[in-house]
Amino acid sequence: RNLAKILSDGDPRLLVVFYRSLHNPEKDGLIIADARGRDALQADFTKAGAFVTPATEYSVCTSPLKKEGPKYSLHQGPACSGGGWERLDQGYFRAYAKPRQGLHAFSWCDNEKFWVQRFVKGEKCDGKWGGQKWVFGGTFYASKSKGYCVGSRASATEEGSTFSRLLFKDDCGGEGFEHAFNFAGVAETHTVAAVTVCIGHEKGGPKMRISLGGESCESEELQPLVRIPARAGASGASGDRRFCVEPDSDGSDTIKEEGQCGGTEVSFALPNAAPASAGAGGPGHQRTRVCAKPGARVGVGDTCASSAAGGAGAVTFEAPSAADVAASMPP
């Protein structure tokens, strides 16, 4: 979702949580080293109006077992972290990572020997349960309403089959699991200014697709070409270039300057001139060029060097690099 998380040496597990929240770490993640402490960083982001506490995305993931499977795991982010994990049907919800009035605490506990989890009510995990050792994984805050169910099983026959399951239904009992409790995800109550613009083409077809949200780049129907960190159209800063997206005559999505679309819900904004940074040309400093022209497909990278990229109604811009994103940190 193009948001930053503050990680600190005081809680090294946060780095593991961050990595597990990424579907494609090489393309989805960026780590910025900063000498300021956690509290100072948060204060500076707040002063710049860039600190929000949105609901966190969670994915309910499953992985097969030879016996008494599958096993279940809660991953932060809109997709599972790979390694044989697949997202459960309707296994996506949002919840808060900090206490909120009217919401209740639910935690997950990790068994690091078998990589299984147990889900409990409250903010703590028992170190011992079902004859296995458990360590605290994390806590989220959600409603006690029905939506998802949690059931737990202490297997007496298979050592690695002692864990909880989390399903999108009212009751998780059966197959050796005892139903424990229910919870429901929360609805987002505010919009976030930062977005990811995903540009790609349909797999097996020529049509271009442009959407907001990094998870759209992971669709099985899309071959992504570039992910662009941007601001939501309504949240653009003074001096930003603003763009809109609408279908072209062949049904492909195209990009136009703001005001040139007949009506669209997809819009975004970029700095008018990306700031120069030291080491330009090195790793992390490359900016991807994007171009669009009426009657032609949206171009990315070398495609924009051709003469077809210019002409009446043409739009050309450079996507911010990783170094540009790092340079945008509040001073």
Side-chain angles (χ1 to χ4, degrees):
R1 297 207 301 166
N2 213 27
L3 298 175
K5 297 180 179 180
I6 300 177
L7 311 180
S8 67
D9 293 338
D11 189 352
R13 288 182 61 85
L14 289 176
L15 181 60
V16 177
V17 172
F18 170 70
Y19 280 133
R20 291 187 68 180
S21 72
L22 304 176
H23 184 80
N24 188 333
E26 182 182 5
K27 297 180 179 179
D28 296 342
L30 173 65
I31 296 178
I32 304 171
D34 196 290
R36 288 170 286 185
R38 179 186 181 90
D39 292 342
L41 268 174
Q42 183 169 322
D44 289 338
F45 269 96
T46 300
K47 184 178 179 180
F51 184 79
V52 295
T53 53
T56 300
E57 297 173 305
Y58 293 93
S59 293
V60 183
C61 307
T62 65
S63 181
L65 291 174
K66 291 182 179 179
K67 295 181 179 180
E68 297 189 334
K71 60 181 179 178
Y72 298 78
S73 181
L74 191 63
H75 295 187
Q76 288 184 315
C80 299
S81 58
W85 292 101
E86 298 289 339
R87 197 170 83 180
L88 184 74
D89 184 35
Q90 294 184 299
Y92 171 86
F93 66 91
R94 290 182 177 180
Y96 289 104
K98 299 291 183 182
R100 289 288 181 107
Q101 185 175 1
L103 300 182
H104 302 269
F106 303 94
S107 299
W108 66 94
C109 319
D110 295 321
N111 177 283
E112 296 178 335
K113 180 178 180 180
F114 298 104
W115 291 111
V116 292
Q117 291 183 339
R118 182 190 180 207
F119 306 109
V120 299
K121 291 189 287 186
E123 299 174 333
K124 296 181 180 180
C125 294
D126 293 332
K128 281 272 192 178
W129 178 77
Q132 300 293 327
K133 293 182 179 180
W134 303 88
V135 297
F136 176 77
T139 298
F140 64 87
Y141 298 83
S143 165
K144 283 187 176 180
S145 303
K146 287 187 176 180
Y148 292 90
C149 68
V150 168
S152 295
R153 176 182 65 193
S155 176
T157 56
E158 293 292 329
E159 191 178 21
S161 298
T162 294
F163 53 79
S164 297
R165 68 176 177 181
L166 199 166
L167 301 172
F168 186 71
K169 57 190 297 187
D170 291 344
D171 193 299
C172 276
E175 299 176 289
F177 290 90
E178 182 179 348
H179 177 76
F181 57 87
N182 295 90
F183 73 89
V186 302
E188 196 71 82
T189 57
H190 63 271
T191 58
V192 178
V195 296
T196 297
V197 181
C198 178
I199 300 178
H201 61 78
E202 294 179 349
K203 289 184 178 179
K207 292 184 178 180
M208 300 295 291
R209 292 291 175 253
I210 304 169
S211 57
L212 302 185
E215 62 271 19
S216 59
C217 271
E218 310 303 334
S219 168
E220 294 181 357
E221 290 77 34
L222 186 75
Q223 179 63 50
L225 298 177
V226 65
R227 298 167 171 82
I228 302 173
R231 299 185 180 101
S235 303
S238 175
D240 280 0
R241 285 185 70 188
R242 298 169 185 264
F243 305 94
C244 57
V245 177
E246 72 173 4
D248 212 337
S249 57
D250 67 348
S252 288
D253 291 340
T254 191
I255 302 172
K256 298 181 179 181
E257 298 280 358
E258 183 183 50
Q260 299 302 309
C261 296
T264 178
E265 294 182 0
V266 180
S267 61
F268 62 95
L270 292 171
N272 192 37
S277 55
H285 291 263
Q286 296 88 352
R287 296 169 180 153
T288 301
R289 192 179 183 196
V290 178
C291 56
K293 180 182 178 181
R297 291 180 61 183
V298 173
V300 175
D302 294 340
T303 307
C304 295
S306 67
S307 58
V315 172
T316 302
F317 61 86
E318 287 186 328
S321 67
D324 294 326
V325 175
S328 70
M329 289 271 292

